[in-house]
Amino acid sequence: MKNSLIAGLLLGAGALASPVAAQQVTIAQTIAGTRLDINATGEVTRVPDIAVISAGVVARSPTATGALQDTADRMTRVLAALKRAGVDPRDVQTSNVSLNPEYRYPENQPPQLVGYTASNTATVRFRDIRSSGKILDALVAEGANQLNGPTLTIDKPEQALDEARSKAIATGRARAELYARSLGLRVVRIVAVSDGGGSEIAQPLPLVVTGVRMQAAQTKIEPGEQRLQVNVAMTFELQ
């Protein structure tokens, strides 16, 4: 009786577990002919509509408080200049605030503290690229003495990336047909497609201004063209 009860419980457990096991079964596609794997790239170009630039102030003082206060005062003027230029507050973000001691190292003596260096940096997105050069000149006039960038990019690249995807798929199909003809076969079907994701090939311009106060500067930033790429992996069956 005891053995019969145990057997019945095991059968019941097996019956309950079988639907779960069935959900874990994966069905793999079989290829009767020759498998061909292709990696294809689609590329499009667009004119960038965003310039991202790092603008900051660096100050030195015998005291930490003095260095921090100096950078705070300068950055206040820099932010006010950005506001006057029409830059949206959502396009200005503080990216770094730092304070570092400075030492002198006399020979055969302990290091001597001589002052502090403070920096305050903001990342700024300019939506009018051609006028951003004039804004940068205004920032320098207001105390910005550290500029890096710009990195030119596209604000909404989705449509351009979809166009690149279509080109990548067309390239993959054409390449598969080429392989098939060369092998004396034909393309039967596409077995799988994998989107490798898209990317912008950024081309940062070498604008770097550090510790310099420019007078009557005329900075110009030209947008040029931006390349966007999408990589696609495709699997074909040839017969």
Side-chain angles (χ1 to χ4, degrees):
M1 181 66 179
K2 184 177 180 180
N3 291 337
S4 300
L5 179 59
I6 293 174
L9 290 173
L10 290 174
L11 286 173
L16 291 173
S18 58
V20 177
Q23 292 177 2
Q24 295 176 349
V25 173
T26 58
I27 300 175
Q29 295 190 54
T30 58
I31 297 178
T34 301
R35 171 173 172 163
L36 173 64
D37 294 323
I38 295 288
N39 289 312
T41 299
E43 182 176 296
V44 296
T45 59
R46 292 289 189 275
V47 177
D49 53 6
I50 295 287
V52 181
I53 295 173
S54 173
V57 296
V58 177
R60 294 175 176 82
S61 174
T63 66
T65 302
L68 286 173
Q69 187 62 55
D70 195 356
T71 56
D73 293 342
R74 292 190 191 185
M75 183 55 77
T76 298
R77 298 198 302 270
V78 168
L79 295 177
L82 288 171
K83 185 176 182 179
R84 289 194 302 271
V87 177
D88 196 308
R90 67 191 176 98
D91 291 327
V92 181
Q93 183 179 49
T94 299
S95 56
N96 180 67
V97 176
S98 66
L99 176 68
N100 296 294
E102 292 186 343
Y103 294 92
R104 183 171 59 242
Y105 296 91
E107 188 175 356
N108 299 323
Q109 295 183 29
Q112 298 176 3
L113 179 66
V114 295
Y116 293 85
T117 299
S119 67
N120 192 326
T121 306
T123 300
V124 185
R125 292 164 60 90
F126 294 101
R127 298 181 184 274
D128 183 359
I129 293 179
R130 294 189 184 278
S131 67
S132 58
K134 294 180 180 179
I135 299 176
L136 290 177
D137 297 339
L139 297 184
V140 172
E142 292 296 336
N145 55 5
Q146 193 170 61
L147 301 177
N148 289 280
T151 298
L152 304 181
T153 186
I154 298 169
D155 188 25
K156 297 179 180 179
E158 291 81 8
Q159 184 176 357
L161 290 172
D162 285 343
E163 183 180 334
R165 287 185 177 93
S166 296
K167 289 188 174 184
I169 291 174
T171 298
R173 284 178 176 271
R175 197 167 295 165
E177 294 289 350
L178 173 64
Y179 275 104
R181 289 195 303 270
S182 299
L183 295 169
L185 302 172
R186 62 185 179 85
V187 176
V188 176
R189 60 177 177 141
I190 299 176
V191 178
V193 178
S194 176
D195 189 328
S199 62
E200 297 180 42
I201 304 177
Q203 298 176 344
L205 300 182
L207 170 64
V208 178
V209 179
T210 303
V212 176
R213 186 177 183 85
M214 296 184 292
Q215 299 292 338
Q218 294 182 348
T219 305
K220 293 183 179 180
I221 298 176
E222 298 295 339
E225 284 189 341
Q226 189 89 22
R227 290 188 296 155
L228 297 96
Q229 287 185 347
V230 172
N231 298 312
V232 175
M234 308 174 70
T235 299
F236 297 86
E237 180 182 350
L238 309 181
Q239 289 185 4

